[in-house]
Amino acid sequence: MSRRAVPVPPLWLAHALRAQRGPVPWNAVVRGALAAGPLVAVALLAGQASAGVVAAIAAMLAGINDRPGSRRAAVGRLGVPAVAGAAGMVAGTYAGQYGGAAGLTALAAGLGLAAGCVSAIGPVASAAGTQLLVGCAVGAGMPLPEPGWLRGVLFLGGAGWLLVLRLVPPTPGAFAGDHRFDGERSAIAGVYDAVADLLGACGGPEATARRAALTAALDHAQDALAGPRLRRCAGTAPERRL
């Protein structure tokens, strides 16, 4: 009897399902754990569950944009999409209540066109366009007792909570208290460390793993340097060195 051949998935599918080796952003993991849960807990204790849901949704959406980089870059990365999401929440709420099906359809189409146009500007604008549409859909489709303007305020409050978690705690490994480029510097230093590890592992059994680690470090550094400030022409010596 011949054994039946085990089907082998294509390379693109196997790569997508394979666990990628790389540094785990534990700071972002902790912020994600502390983002939505405490907001919902406080709202339940205060008897305002619906308000906590809106704030928690905003915190989770802000967590998607919590990328490596300095504190100053994080303000734009988290703040701009949060403002767009709050605006979409307000617009979607009032359109769903007073605009009817035709008005809501027209609003969604207009916001979709605007979001698609601004997304070409850069990653922050793309995130803002996405949160604009998500906020509109949530505001129009989620029945809540709060009026539209209050939902927008709660949305900003939830995203602001994650921004506080990003800005207030000290950054491990910051350079002499200079937090202007702390995330960018550590990310670039990680690339050099990964290059050294790969050179040391050449010809050995760890070479493949070290190569994957270098790729992850390069991706991490690219995310850190793709902020709204460093993407423009560098204006200072530290920026030019980075």
Side-chain angles (χ1 to χ4, degrees), residues 69-148:
S70 62
R71 286 173 168 81
R72 293 176 60 182
V75 173
R77 281 197 180 104
L78 300 180
V80 174
V83 173
M89 177 75 71
V90 174
T93 299
Y94 287 120
Q97 292 176 350
Y98 306 110
L104 184 58
T105 301
L107 175 66
L111 292 181
L113 177 61
C117 292
V118 301
S119 64
I121 298 175
V124 176
S126 178
T130 301
Q131 289 206 23
L132 178 68
L133 293 177
V134 172
C136 177
V138 172
M142 182 177 290
L144 296 172
E146 289 80 13

Side-chain angles (χ1 to χ4, degrees), residues 205-232:
E206 296 294 326
T208 301
R210 295 302 183 183
R211 185 186 63 181
L214 174 59
T215 301
L218 287 169
D219 294 340
H220 184 79
Q222 183 178 7
D223 287 340
L225 292 176
R229 183 165 45 86
L230 293 180
R231 290 181 67 250
R232 295 191 288 269

Side-chain angles (χ1 to χ4, degrees), residues 131-220:
Q131 289 206 23
L132 178 68
L133 293 177
V134 172
C136 177
V138 172
M142 182 177 290
L144 296 172
E146 289 80 13
W149 67 267
L150 183 55
R151 297 186 191 184
V153 172
L154 293 171
F155 193 97
L156 289 176
W161 166 243
L162 184 65
L163 185 58
V164 169
L165 294 177
R166 179 65 179 84
L167 298 179
V168 173
T171 301
F175 287 72
D178 184 3
H179 301 294
R180 292 177 300 167
F181 306 106
D182 49 7
E184 290 90 341
R185 285 168 171 159
S186 61
I188 293 176
V191 173
Y192 283 99
D193 291 339
V195 170
D197 293 338
L198 177 57
L199 291 175
C202 285
E206 296 294 326
T208 301
R210 295 302 183 183
R211 185 186 63 181
L214 174 59
T215 301
L218 287 169
D219 294 340
H220 184 79

